Amino acid sequence: MIRLLLADDQALVRGALAALLDLEADLSVVAQVGRGDEVVDAARASGADVALLDVEMPGLDGIAAAAALREQVPGCRALIVTTFGRPGYLRRALDAGASGFVVKDTPAEQLADAVRRVHSGLRVVDPDLAVATLAAGDSPLTDRERAVLRLAEDGRTVAQIARSAFLSEGTVRNYLSAAIGKTGARTRAEAVRLARDNGWL
């Protein structure tokens, strides 16, 4: 029996996934959480073999949760199951140690098969997303540029970003300018949107 942990902030989606996967004779949903920062504790407590993680969750996103699982509960493999099939997300998820990446509209039998393959040590990636990721290439943003753009996402001023990131205002301006240039944007807000759309944030 393969023990599953489901992590998704939408209770309805979580419940539907649990109902579908529990229909499989060799799969059992042993834990469900709605926040990314609850994943590691739930995996430990339940003895889950595979964690199905949404990307966008409160507390900790699914990619960061996959990295935390790899470090703290290496016996539990991570499979990203998300609505957002963005090329940058796939690359970041694989770098974080996720064993697979599929979109939520994957047919139930294919999702169950993906779980089995991940459990057996294989890597599973949505083929359309794999092609898009190869075409898109790597994120042009550095870690610092990405961090500053994330802080700019909710409309903070340069001074507020500088205080939050413990940087000088001039350094923040430089990072924002570089991010705007690398994304081909005209404004900070557009750079944030383009980076988010590409899965770089």
Side-chain angles (χ1 to χ4, degrees):
M1 186 67 73
I2 302 171
R3 297 178 303 257
L4 306 179
L5 160 64
L6 304 184
D8 193 304
D9 61 335
Q10 295 181 328
L12 191 61
V13 171
R14 211 169 54 236
L17 273 175
L20 281 171
L21 292 169
D22 270 335
L23 292 173
E24 302 291 324
D26 58 337
L27 305 181
S28 175
V29 175
V30 295
Q32 297 183 43
V33 296
R35 296 176 54 91
D37 52 5
E38 297 172 345
V39 168
V40 167
D41 287 343
R44 278 200 188 110
S46 65
D49 301 305
V50 178
L52 284 74
L53 309 173
D54 187 24
V55 170
E56 296 191 356
M57 291 186 287
L60 202 64
D61 69 40
I63 294 170
L69 277 177
R70 179 177 63 180
E71 288 179 15
Q72 300 176 51
V73 194
C76 182
R77 300 181 191 278
L79 173 61
I80 304 291
V81 183
T82 185
T83 305
F84 304 102
R86 295 175 179 151
Y89 282 169
L90 171 57
R91 194 173 298 276
R92 286 175 47 219
L94 296 178
D95 288 346
S99 297
F101 196 111
V102 296
V103 290
K104 281 182 182 169
D105 60 3
T106 299
E109 61 189 39
Q110 287 181 26
L111 178 58
D113 185 54
V115 168
R116 293 183 188 104
R117 290 169 65 199
V118 163
H119 179 255
S120 70
L122 299 174
R123 186 163 272 185
V124 178
V125 175
D126 179 271
D128 292 336
L129 190 55
V131 170
T133 299
L134 287 171
D138 290 330
S139 167
L141 303 172
T142 66
D143 289 343
R144 279 293 200 173
E145 289 160 359
R146 204 169 20 249
V148 167
L149 269 188
R150 277 198 195 102
L151 291 171
E153 197 166 10
D154 58 5
R156 295 182 204 199
T157 65
V158 168
Q160 291 170 325
I161 294 169
R163 279 195 299 276
S164 297
F166 304 103
L167 297 169
S168 73
E169 291 184 27
T171 301
V172 168
R173 283 191 191 90
N174 288 340
Y175 283 137
L176 287 171
S177 177
I180 289 168
K182 288 177 179 180
T183 57
R186 291 179 306 246
T187 65
R188 178 194 318 178
E190 187 180 2
V192 168
R193 182 183 58 75
L194 288 167
R196 177 65 65 193
D197 288 349
N198 280 293
W200 297 333
L201 290 185

